[in-house]
Amino acid sequence: MDTTAGTINEVWWVGGGAPVTGFTVRFYTGLAAAPDSQPTISNLPENETPADYLKGYTFAGNANETALDSRFNQYHVTLPQPLDLQGNTVYWIKIEADIEGYPFWGLATATHGRDVRHVSYFTGLAQFLPGASSGAFDLRGTFATPEPGSLAALGLGTLLLLRRRRR
């Protein structure tokens, strides 16, 4: 957790799988009693409303998809309204692809990050599963004292990753 506040203007990430028709990017605060363990979630992801998350954005299309190799693509979006994050606060992010068919789309994993873990949720299981890797994403914006490679410096906690098939 960093003491520096900041503003996020762009989100970049790496993933792959089924063709994508859109993305949802949402930010959450950490659970009050244990912010590092999970985000504050009051509904299952498929039933969320704007009251269930801090800020959410929906993007049509492929989010500027650029092929990196035969398995992975790079994506990026500019937020329509910048998101201000406070210091000394744990935040979570969800990057969800709108896809049709199989295979599922997934966020690539990274070997660095604030605490190198995430939580996954698959529609229909109604269960959150912990993971031992960070997601491959980058938040870009304005931060008073950024530390390269540090998610904590970006005001973000661990990752909430959801992979959902849309019909």
Side-chain angles (χ1 to χ4, degrees):
M1 190 171 352
D2 188 34
T3 58
T4 305
T7 300
I8 298 171
N9 299 315
E10 296 179 81
V11 180
W12 291 68
W13 65 95
V14 175
V20 176
T21 59
F23 282 96
T24 299
V25 177
R26 291 185 181 152
F27 293 87
Y28 302 78
T29 56
L31 191 62
D36 286 323
S37 66
Q38 69 181 58
T40 302
I41 297 177
S42 54
N43 271 314
L44 292 178
E46 59 265 29
N47 298 321
E48 283 182 331
T49 68
D52 296 316
Y53 46 87
L54 177 66
K55 189 73 176 170
Y57 306 90
T58 302
F59 301 93
N62 67 4
N64 301 295
E65 179 181 272
T66 303
L68 296 176
D69 60 27
S70 62
R71 298 180 317 155
F72 294 108
N73 299 307
Q74 177 176 276
Y75 305 88
H76 74 275
V77 294
T78 300
L79 303 181
Q81 301 89 27
L83 176 61
D84 293 325
L85 299 178
Q86 300 304 310
N88 292 318
T89 305
V90 174
Y91 294 95
W92 293 65
I93 186 173
K94 173 177 76 174
I95 300 172
E96 179 182 29
D98 293 333
I99 63 171
E100 294 182 16
Y102 292 94
F104 286 105
W105 181 91
L107 190 66
T109 58
T111 58
H112 64 282
R114 201 171 132 268
D115 55 8
V116 192
R117 63 187 165 118
H118 69 271
V119 177
S120 294
Y121 177 84
F122 288 86
T123 303
L125 289 179
Q127 182 178 8
F128 292 88
L129 306 169
S133 61
S134 290
F137 67 96
D138 183 30
L139 304 177
R140 298 184 183 181
T142 305
F143 303 93
T145 55
E147 299 171 26
S150 170
L151 293 179
L154 299 176
L156 189 79
T158 54
L159 172 77
L160 168 68
L161 164 66
L162 281 80
R163 302 172 190 162
R164 182 184 295 181
R165 187 183 77 163
R166 301 280 176 128
R167 293 178 187 189

